[in-house]
Structures are given as structure tokens and as C-alpha cells.
Amino acid sequence: MNPIQKKKLKAEAHPLNPVVIIGQAGLTEAVIKEINVALDAHELIKVKIRAERDERATIRDQICEQTKAELVQSIGQIAVIYRLNPKK
């Protein structure tokens, strides 16, 4: 993804609210499944990660790896994730 595409996706994500919130249970199989459903439906989503800074980075990487999505932006507890849906 080039910088121009990222800039466009950041602008599109700005008004969005987090679709998935990861709490104290952490990143479970059910959470990954819900993120996959949300990515299939919307392509661009926000995920709120309620964890310490180091854990957030690890969780973000795991989400992107397990869902085959790309991290567009991460600010504080909010991660913006994008995965193209070929069916759309």
C-alpha cells in the first residue's frame, strides 16, 4: 500500500467508531472471527485495544497476521485495519 492510498484510508476512517473492542480477555479466536466478519462487511474498520502499550503492538501485529489485513494507522488504543474484499 502506497502513502497516497494510506492517506485516503486514514481520511475515510476518521469518522468511524471502533467496531471491535479487545478487553482483558485479550485476542481470542472469537475476537479474530468477529474482526474477519467486520472486515468482510466493511473492508476498513477501527479496533480498540484495551491493553498496555507493549501488548497493544503485539496484538495489532497478531490481528494483521491472522486476518491477512494491513495496519493503516495506530493512535493510542485505536488501530485502523484494512483488508480488500474481492467480492465488493
Side-chain angles (χ1 to χ4, degrees):
M1 181 180 313
N2 66 37
I4 295 169
Q5 290 171 320
K6 270 195 177 183
K7 186 175 180 179
K8 182 177 175 273
L9 289 172
K10 286 178 187 180
E12 286 179 28
H14 183 71
L16 299 178
N17 290 321
V19 177
V20 178
I21 299 173
I22 300 172
Q24 54 189 133
L27 191 62
T28 62
E29 211 41 55
V31 172
I32 290 293
K33 187 175 179 183
E34 193 61 35
I35 292 171
N36 275 317
V37 168
L39 284 168
D40 286 342
H42 304 290
E43 291 186 346
L44 183 67
I45 64 168
K46 280 186 178 178
V47 178
K48 187 168 193 169
I49 305 168
R50 304 285 238 149
E52 294 298 321
R53 180 178 290 181
D54 298 335
E55 293 176 50
R56 285 196 302 259
T58 304
I59 290 171
R60 281 192 309 263
D61 294 341
Q62 288 175 346
I63 290 170
C64 291
E65 182 181 312
Q66 292 180 21
T67 61
K68 296 182 178 35
E70 288 191 57
L71 181 67
V72 175
Q73 181 179 33
S74 179
I75 299 176
Q77 295 182 348
I78 305 292
V80 178
I81 298 172
Y82 174 76
R83 182 177 71 195
L84 180 65
N85 184 350
K87 296 177 186 173
K88 278 192 167 186

